[in-house]
Amino acid sequence: MGTHTATTPFGRRPMTLGLLASQVAVGEIDEKARASKWQVFRDIREAKEALGATDRALAILNALLSFHRADELTAEESLIVFPSNEQLIRRANGMSPATLRRHLANLVTTGLVIRRDSPNGKRFARRGEGGAIDQAYGFDLSPILARAEEFKALAAAVQAERKAHRLVKERLTISRRDVVKMIEAGINEGVPGNWQGFMRRYEAIIARLPRTAARLTLETICNELEDLWVDVHQTLESFINSQNPNANESQSERHIQNSNPHVSSTDESEYDLEETGEASGVGVKNDNVRALPSRDLPLGMVVDACPELLTLARDGHIRTWRDFVEAATQARPFMGISPSAWQEAVEVMGPEKAAITVAAILQRSDRIASRGGYLRNLTERARDQKFSVWPMIMALLREKLDAHAKAAGNNGRSVTDPADGDRGVTVEISEALRKNMKKKGWER
């Protein structure tokens, strides 16, 4: 193929440096260069976004390639095709002339084809002796041959990027699922840990996730989620390793688990809700509050201590801490607790401990005249780190054990809770918890 002289477009279309660069690149094609036109077209289609080509432009390019009879593009033959607009429209599956012109301009701008305009702008070929084409005016496909390797590299890069993007989305989905379910497991199983902190950290990470994110953005979010996964997993793993493998504790939520609270047998052991103005266990000393276990109360233990809350729970069952908090929220207006008092308790104690406090107040609501004021008092003490829900729940459990001892000869194995009325709910107390409570003076 001979060297092409740079030409300018016909009519009002301007000449640009980009068009000139495309024509210069065509002049540097190796004389032995050859490429499969359909393979190159597939590479261009794969890299269309990187090239800036539109879908309609590629449909027109496909039609232009079909006018070149050979399957291979070679530097030894003319690569100019000269179909009319009507022929292009038919082979491009139909489009308006204005749309055709617009997307032909896109092919030229992106350097995929070169216009070889005749003096009057028409597309045609002048043939010599023997029918061979001496001169043709139309669209030059030489850039496709000249940039075949470039298109191949671009297509490979696009495929690699697409694969990386798919993999990072899979990582993101798995990380999100694992973190959320491990946090829920930790909360539901009563594992000690900063679960609310983990959840806030998770929500802060996910809040930065846009609807449509680039791969690098997803990589950053995935890395942060995986760091959070490590922290949550280590918390659960540490708890599992710390448990006695020979312990034979029931996993039922209605069962009071062996919490082994290691509570000092001073002021906390005397905690009771019998007085409406001041509960003796509320005013504990700072040192004693710090001596209380840092782990959260097991959900089953709290529900056993505060069975009245079950009457306000959905379907009469509390299976998760979320159900427990929701039931406490439902109980608040019936107890005469204002929304502001509840909100302040949640902000100071956290939603779970605030719900435990409300449930304990509900359990002894007949002995407390001003429940809203009482909750505000406990909230202020919690703000000063002078209040813990541990002795409150232990006092309720101790009172329940005393009632069971009177009703069942103090055997404590399996008795019916009088507070449950005709429901006949059986409360089981683990032997380990019984011994621990007896040691701490909570069982008479």
Side-chain angles (χ1 to χ4, degrees), residues 404 408 411-416 426-429 434:
H404 295 165
N411 57 20
R413 286 294 179 179
S414 177
V415 296
T416 301
T426 299
V427 180
E428 298 180 357
I429 308 299
R434 176 176 299 283

Side-chain angles (χ1 to χ4, degrees), residues 100-157:
L100 176 68
R101 289 192 295 269
R102 185 168 65 253
H103 292 289
L104 280 173
N106 177 263
L107 290 176
V108 175
T109 303
T110 54
L112 295 176
V113 298
I114 298 175
R115 286 184 183 272
R116 300 295 184 186
D117 290 342
S118 67
N120 61 2
K122 302 293 184 181
R123 303 179 202 129
F124 63 90
R126 183 177 294 113
R127 300 180 183 274
E129 296 180 0
I133 296 177
D134 288 341
Q135 181 67 45
Y137 297 100
F139 295 103
D140 192 349
L141 303 178
S142 298
I144 296 178
L145 177 61
R147 302 173 62 186
E149 291 300 321
E150 175 191 347
F151 297 147
K152 183 177 180 180
L154 276 176

Side-chain angles (χ1 to χ4, degrees), residues 274-305:
E274 294 181 356
E275 300 181 12
T276 60
E278 286 288 335
S280 61
V282 174
V284 295
K285 300 178 183 179
N286 285 342
D287 291 341
N288 290 331
V289 171
R290 295 192 186 98
L292 291 170
S294 59
R295 59 180 289 186
D296 295 333
L297 281 163
L299 178 60
M301 178 184 292
V302 177
V303 173
D304 283 334

